[in-house]
Amino acid sequence: MNNDMSILSLVANASLLVQAVMAGLLTISIASWTVIFRKYFQIRAARAATDRFEAEFWRGGDLNALYAKAAEQAGDHGPLARIFEAGMREYLKNRQQKPVDTGAMLEGSRRAMRAAYQREMDALESHLAFLASVGSVSPYIGLFGTVWGIMNSFRGLANVKQATLAAVAPGIAEALVATAIGLFAAIPAVVAYNRFAYDIERMSNRFDTFVEEFSNILQRQAR
């Protein structure tokens, strides 16, 4: 049995099934890191855009001018601005109808903002389920490879007259590499999922608060 205990040697000498498990876990890990980086930049950009729009909105400028600016930027102005744009568009459209039903006008604006809010939340939460799945499943996939590798190691002892630690150690080490790779895939995914879920929840609260406050502003204007 090969006594080279380097990681590359252990992976190369593992059984085909254990190698397949390792390859699958590495693929999952790469996909997980890709999602983590994309989601990080997406949330950071959404937070920065939300900060800019809130600062501009609460400066107390003309809502029609702000709406025209938001509509002109064609969706590149952040999630909160898109929620505002949806509500203001519906409000202006309903206000042109005769006779004006104030209650229906305000309710229509609120529904439009809620629909836009849900679309923005769906976009922010996309692929979070994948990170959660990676974090929960990867250790078990690695454990499966480990169990299979240890079974092969002990089965090989049947052909050895004297069972020694030197005889069984390389096989067990090969199997344990699968568990290590599983943890390597799972831990970053769990950490990133928890962080992103927290950040998205905070943004959700900001969006929800804005919808209520902007609805109150529209209600005062409609009187």
Side-chain angles (χ1 to χ4, degrees):
M1 183 173 289
N2 190 351
N3 291 323
D4 185 357
M5 299 293 286
S6 67
I7 297 296
L8 291 179
S9 177
L10 292 175
V11 172
N13 292 320
S15 67
L16 288 178
L17 181 59
V18 175
Q19 287 180 340
V21 169
M22 293 177 183
L25 287 171
L26 286 174
T27 302
I28 291 172
S29 180
I30 292 172
S32 174
W33 278 106
T34 301
V35 170
I36 288 171
F37 281 114
R38 287 182 177 177
K39 187 59 62 177
Y40 169 77
F41 288 114
Q42 179 190 15
I43 293 175
R44 188 176 72 169
R47 187 190 301 114
T50 298
D51 291 340
R52 289 194 301 269
F53 179 79
E54 278 192 328
E56 187 174 6
F57 180 85
W58 292 114
R59 277 200 294 264
D62 181 56
L63 290 179
N64 291 321
L66 185 60
Y67 169 69
K69 180 179 178 181
E72 182 180 327
Q73 291 177 344
D76 296 329
H77 49 298
L80 190 60
R82 287 190 286 269
I83 293 172
F84 161 78
E85 182 185 349
M88 193 68 180
R89 183 193 307 115
E90 189 69 18
Y91 175 81
L92 294 175
K93 182 175 68 175
N94 290 335
R95 194 171 65 175
Q96 294 174 354
Q97 298 177 357
K98 302 297 182 181
V100 176
D101 186 340
T102 302
M105 181 173 59
L106 296 174
E107 183 60 27
S109 177
R110 182 187 292 271
R111 284 199 303 268
M113 285 191 287
R114 286 293 175 187
Y117 161 86
Q118 192 58 56
R119 286 194 296 270
E120 298 300 332
M121 292 306 301
D122 288 344
L124 288 173
E125 292 174 348
S126 64
H127 300 115
L128 279 188
F130 172 75
L131 292 180
S133 297
V134 170
S136 61
V137 172
S138 293
Y140 294 103
I141 297 176
L143 183 61
F144 169 75
T146 297
V147 171
W148 187 268
I150 291 175
M151 285 171 53
N152 283 339
S153 295
F154 282 107
R155 194 162 50 213
L157 291 178
N159 300 322
V160 177
K161 294 182 179 180
Q162 183 177 4
T164 64
L165 182 60
V168 73
I172 294 177
E174 293 166 6
L176 291 175
V177 171
T179 295
I181 297 176
L183 293 175
F184 176 78
I187 292 173
V190 171
V191 173
Y193 173 83
N194 290 334
R195 180 62 195 182
F196 294 155
Y198 172 75
D199 290 341
I200 291 172
E201 180 64 24
R202 291 188 63 187
M203 294 193 67
S204 173
N205 292 336
R206 292 176 68 178
F207 297 163
D208 193 57
T209 300
F210 176 83
V211 169
E212 296 303 319
E213 291 176 335
F214 185 47
S215 295
N216 291 335
I217 291 173
L218 293 179
Q219 186 174 15
R220 289 194 296 269
Q221 286 196 352
R223 291 175 181 173

